Amino acid sequence: MATISFTFASPSKPLNPSIAPKNPTIFNVLATPSNPQLKRAFFLNSPSISPIFIRALKPQQCRTSSTPITSLFTGIVEEMGQIKQLGYDKPDSFTMKIQAKLILEDINLGDSISVNGTCLTVADFDTQKLEFSVGLAPETLRKTSLIELEQGSLVNLERALRPTTRMGGHFVQGHVDGTGEIVDLKTEGDSLWVKVKTAKEILRYIVPKGFIAVDGTSLTVVDVVDEEGCFNFMLVAYTQQNVVIPLKKVGQKVNLEVDILGKYVERLLSSGFVDSIKSS
């Protein structure tokens, strides 16, 4: 993939709301406050970016597990796109512009695109410049690892599943359940072991040899270590060359979406559905 370079004014300076320049062209969201309340205030009150965005884009509404399934993905990454620009085109509207190629072949406004496992809606695109834009709500930034992206970052991309598409992974909704932290990366031959730590609320749905989507990549869990709050998986050489996970370092976050079947089973059991069948 060709390297794309862009020039912006002082991109390395941390963006603190109290000292931020009046008209920043871009910012690094890694520099946002760690305190949740401060971070919320930051997202809702940050200044706008350069008027490179020709027209205002509507912020993407965050989708949760209670949202009806409107799009499905396989977790088979189609290509890696590159973040061309990200920031606020309005004080309360965060926009991300991504450069890609394959995704643009049949793109339409309103299409659902999985970006590192997060289902987002195409709000604008330019097939000549090979780029498209999506909006992100503050809750989406808080819920996912997209908060760690910056200009130049690579992201996994996948278009929504069509009925005629070969099902190569598993059913992925693009509704991120939460994030995990990479705690270990270890090679074995030409394969890569990745160990991820996550909250027990997510780990409860992860089982050995079960499905999981990590940054939108459909993977098979190898082991689950409950006492450490971790699970691991292995990436073969081909996968390493076509997804963003191997580009990350220990300590960085990944988006996690567990297999929805486990959540349905738990819901049925807790509602007494099984007991009602036994008694009927």
Side-chain angles (χ1 to χ4, degrees):
M1 180 177 293
T3 301
I4 305 171
S5 60
F6 300 89
T7 302
F8 296 90
S10 303
S12 61
K13 293 182 179 179
L15 236 180
N16 184 306
S18 63
I19 62 174
K22 294 182 178 179
N23 296 297
T25 54
I26 195 166
F27 66 88
N28 181 352
V29 287
L30 280 172
T32 58
S34 58
N35 183 286
Q37 294 182 344
L38 291 178
K39 184 180 291 184
R40 184 175 185 276
F42 173 81
F43 283 135
L44 294 178
N45 298 290
S46 293
S48 59
I49 59 170
S50 166
I52 187 172
F53 291 100
I54 304 303
R55 60 176 181 273
L57 304 177
K58 295 181 180 179
Q60 166 69 18
Q61 296 298 316
C62 180
R63 301 180 180 182
T64 65
S65 58
S66 61
T67 304
I69 299 175
T70 56
S71 300
L72 280 176
F73 304 92
T74 66
I76 303 301
V77 177
E78 293 187 273
E79 69 172 319
M80 287 189 287
Q82 187 172 45
I83 301 298
K84 185 175 180 181
Q85 186 172 1
L86 73 169
Y88 287 87
D89 62 331
K90 293 194 300 185
D92 59 351
S93 179
F94 188 96
T95 302
M96 186 161 59
K97 185 174 291 185
I98 304 171
Q99 187 157 50
K101 184 178 180 181
L102 180 63
I103 299 299
L104 274 293
E105 289 182 356
D106 59 353
I107 196 168
N108 293 287
L109 292 177
D111 279 357
S112 294
I113 305 291
S114 173
V115 181
N116 274 2
T118 307
C119 181
L120 300 173
T121 302
V122 175
D124 196 11
F125 65 89
D126 189 324
T127 55
Q128 297 300 314
K129 295 182 179 180
L130 295 179
E131 61 188 29
F132 68 96
S133 298
V134 293
L136 289 84
E139 178 63 12
T140 305
L141 291 168
R142 287 191 292 265
K143 183 80 172 180
T144 71
S145 66
L146 298 181
I147 192 174
E148 294 188 345
L149 296 175
E150 54 189 355
Q151 187 263 330
S153 295
L154 296 179
V155 289
N156 292 330
L157 300 175
E158 182 190 355
R159 291 166 292 187
L161 182 66
R162 287 179 173 177
T164 57
T165 303
R166 180 178 290 125
M167 189 70 189
H170 72 284
F171 288 119
V172 178
Q173 299 180 80
H175 302 168
V176 176
D177 292 298
T179 61
E181 178 185 341
I182 297 176
V183 295
D184 191 34
L185 295 167
K186 188 178 299 181
T187 58
E188 182 179 350
D190 63 353
S191 296
L192 178 67
W193 282 98
V194 183
K195 189 175 184 180
V196 176
K197 184 174 184 179
T198 190
K200 62 180 181 180
E201 291 78 13
I202 296 177
L203 196 68
R204 65 192 292 181
Y205 299 110
I206 303 175
V207 298
K209 305 304 181 288
F211 288 123
I212 189 166
V214 181
D215 274 347
T217 305
S218 177
L219 297 167
T220 301
V221 177
V222 178
D223 295 306
V224 178
V225 186
D226 290 305
E227 55 270 26
E228 296 180 15
C230 297
F231 70 95
N232 65 5
F233 54 88
M234 179 177 276
L235 300 176
V236 298
Y238 176 83
T239 306
Q240 292 177 54
Q241 297 167 8
N242 291 276
V243 302
V244 301
I245 299 171
L247 302 177
K248 295 191 172 183
K249 299 178 181 179
V250 171
Q252 285 191 277
K253 293 180 180 180
V254 290
N255 288 328
L256 301 176
E257 182 184 335
V258 300
D259 190 351
I260 194 173
L261 293 179
K263 290 187 283 186
Y264 277 129
V265 170
E266 181 184 62
R267 176 68 172 171
L268 289 172
L269 291 176
S270 63
S271 66
F273 177 76
V274 175
D275 292 334
S276 65
I277 293 179
K278 290 181 179 179
S279 60
S280 61

